[in-house]
Amino acid sequence: MLSRFQNRASTSLATLAARPATKRFYAAAAAGEQELKKTALYDYHVQHGGKMVPFAGYAMPVQYKNMGMLASHLHTREKASIFDVSHMLQTRVVGKDRKKFFETITVADLHQMPVGQGSLTVFTNEQGGIIDDTIVMQQDDCLYVVSNAACADKDLAHIRKHLADFQNKGGDVDLQIINDHSLIAIQGPSAATALEKLVGKDLNDFGFMHGRFMDVAGIPCHIARSGYTGEDGFELSVPTPEILGITEKLMAHPDVELAGLGARDSLRLEAGLCLYGNELDDTTTPVEAGLTWTIPKSRRETGGFLGDSIILNQIKDKKSIQRRRVGLIVQGAPARGGAEILDGEGQVIGQITSGCPSPVLKKNIAMGYVKSGFHKKGTELSVKVRNKVQNAVITKMPFVEAHYHK
């Protein structure tokens, strides 16, 4: 039975590598006619057998010759993997009014966030929809922000529009794009051990969603204890001329391998984490997306962000929530993005946004949206896959227990 599942999972993930990037796996992948940008590690990926595919305007590795997606997924869960995420948008928000400004365009409470701490937050629009999800970290003299590569252009346009309005009213704030640093993530149970060898310090007191400036192999870097896999791990912002050397030094650890977009997608799905363009878009509110927890109590009381009346009303009046993000275990073939979700009477009540065979659970998992009332754990539904109706059940997320450092 296990062998049959592994074969199906390998085939399913291999299909990803064999076809062009699509919204299902890579939100807003670059159009084939555009000249793809390359990260500073492009040649390194190719030298190590990386299969390069278009993603968000970049040529990025989907997998590597020495290890398929399934094996790479399991290696990350059991040891550690390095992901090149240099395509993501890194910015600084500076000026004495930076916290006040950023709170007008996100749901974060930056006035209560200590220096060195970070949080997932969302940019919202006037209708309460999510323009993008992003990580913001409090630093001594700025806010350090990392946003999705696929949303970089629209994020910058949105920020600059509201920045200009804020500045015209006398606000002291500005935006700086970080072009001289590359970004890698090392994820998995062995990540801390591998990194400790390069920083020369025990990292046990380095908390999840915290950031520090540290020397890595003698190079000044910013390190955040965070990631997109559900495992312990770190994201390193490294001066671009030094990124290859640091990557090679991390790779020298016997537990560390390279991993690509394919494993990254299945890992984040097992962890119940959203992908912009699949689970999140500008018509979906944080409440509908199950991200109410990103809105601190203080912001629920004061509002002051775009779309606050709609979002706060949904928090107060659950009957106003029309749909909710859910996790499902699906019988039969894997349910992919776009598959219809049906109630017991065969009526369409929602749609799958992401789905794949879970390498850890040996079951087919999926996320999607259903009408409110059908979102309770244990609710039995069905999913239409290739015109065949298959049983499904609402399941608590994450599908696989998270192992964030405590």
Side-chain angles (χ1 to χ4, degrees):
M1 179 69 177
L2 176 58
S3 177
R4 285 201 302 271
F5 181 88
Q6 288 176 330
N7 288 339
R8 185 173 67 191
S10 297
T11 300
S12 179
L13 292 173
T15 302
L16 169 60
R19 66 186 175 193
T22 65
K23 177 181 175 182
R24 179 179 297 164
F25 295 100
Y26 311 131
E33 296 180 357
Q34 295 177 342
E35 183 176 351
L36 297 176
K37 291 179 279 189
K38 298 177 181 178
T39 73
L41 290 175
Y42 176 86
D43 289 340
Y44 186 75
H45 297 312
V46 173
Q47 290 165 8
H48 284 76
K51 179 177 175 59
M52 311 305 286
V53 299
F55 176 66
Y58 283 81
M60 299 296 292
V62 67
Q63 68 178 76
Y64 294 86
K65 190 174 294 185
N66 72 319
M67 189 177 289
M69 293 185 209
L70 175 60
S72 183
H73 178 115
L74 294 174
H75 182 87
T76 308
R77 290 270 181 251
E78 296 165 2
K79 294 183 179 181
S81 298
I82 292 176
F83 300 82
D84 183 3
V85 288
S86 301
H87 58 307
M88 297 186 76
L89 175 64
Q90 299 182 75
T91 58
R92 297 185 192 92
V93 184
V94 299
K96 65 180 181 63
D97 295 323
R98 60 186 181 275
K99 299 177 189 178
K100 181 178 179 182
F101 165 69
F102 213 67
E103 286 183 356
T104 68
I105 58 174
T106 69
V107 300
D109 181 352
L110 298 166
H111 286 85
Q112 300 299 320
M113 183 185 292
V115 171
Q117 187 170 320
S119 175
L120 175 71
T121 189
V122 293
F123 295 111
T124 54
N125 59 29
E126 288 81 356
Q127 292 74 43
I130 299 172
I131 292 173
D132 195 10
D133 57 319
T134 189
I135 298 290
V136 57
M137 290 222 157
Q138 189 88 261
Q139 296 183 349
D140 283 321
D141 57 353
C142 71
L143 302 175
Y144 171 60
V145 183
V146 179
S147 307
N148 287 307
C151 297
D153 290 343
K154 76 168 185 173
D155 285 357
L156 288 174
H158 176 75
I159 295 170
R160 285 167 172 161
K161 173 181 180 295
H162 292 280
L163 181 68
D165 293 341
F166 193 88
Q167 290 172 331
N168 288 338
K169 295 175 182 176
D172 179 10
V173 64
D174 206 356
L175 178 72
Q176 299 174 350
I177 298 175
I178 302 174
N179 288 320
D180 57 355
H181 280 57
S182 294
L183 196 65
I184 55 172
I186 181 167
Q187 300 281 294
S190 299
T193 302
L195 185 57
E196 284 171 347
K197 290 182 177 296
L198 301 190
V199 299
K201 296 179 181 179
D202 185 294
L203 297 175
N204 194 52
D205 65 345
F206 196 149
F208 177 63
M209 289 307 298
H210 284 69
R212 296 178 181 176
F213 289 98
M214 302 182 75
D215 284 356
V216 181
I219 306 302
C221 301
H222 180 266
I223 305 175
R225 196 160 201 162
S226 60
Y228 194 49
T229 63
E231 296 296 330
D232 183 26
F234 304 84
E235 294 188 349
L236 286 69
S237 182
V238 181
T240 295
E242 310 295 340
I243 189 65
L244 177 59
I246 286 179
T247 300
E248 290 176 329
K249 287 180 172 63
L250 287 170
M251 284 287 291
H253 191 283
D255 284 355
V256 179
E257 295 284 352
L258 293 170
L261 293 169
R264 190 168 181 251
D265 192 62
S266 55
L267 287 160
R268 69 93 191 169
L269 186 48
E270 281 189 341
L273 301 175
C274 298
L275 172 64
Y276 197 91
N278 287 35
E279 285 71 46
L280 308 178
D281 60 33
D282 56 13
T283 69
T284 303
T285 71
V287 181
E288 294 167 342
L291 298 178
T292 304
W293 61 269
T294 64
I295 310 172
K297 181 180 178 181
S298 58
R299 300 308 308 274
R300 300 182 196 190
E301 294 174 350
T302 63
F305 49 86
L306 297 174
D308 56 359
S309 61
I310 296 170
I311 294 169
L312 297 180
N313 181 63
Q314 287 185 333
I315 294 175
K316 294 174 183 176
D317 179 14
K318 290 183 171 52
K319 293 182 180 179
S320 67
I321 307 171
Q322 299 299 308
R323 58 179 182 145
R324 295 175 184 264
R325 179 171 66 96
V326 296
L328 302 100
I329 298 293
V330 180
Q331 302 298 316
R336 305 298 188 184
E340 294 177 340
I341 303 173
L342 314 175
D343 65 13
E345 298 179 354
Q347 299 297 310
V348 178
I349 57 163
Q351 189 176 76
I352 298 295
T353 52
S354 297
C356 74
S358 163
V360 170
L361 299 180
K362 313 298 188 292
K363 299 176 181 179
N364 295 320
I365 60 174
M367 281 195 283
Y369 282 86
V370 296
K371 290 181 181 178
S372 290
F374 293 93
H375 63 284
K376 300 293 178 63
K377 177 184 175 183
T379 301
E380 295 183 355
L381 302 170
S382 55
V383 178
K384 186 180 286 188
V385 180
R386 302 189 196 97
N387 292 319
K388 183 179 179 181
V389 177
Q390 302 176 175
N391 292 333
V393 61
I394 301 293
T395 306
K396 184 180 180 181
M397 293 186 287
F399 298 101
V400 173
E401 181 182 359
H403 297 106
Y404 302 126
H405 183 70
K406 297 178 180 179

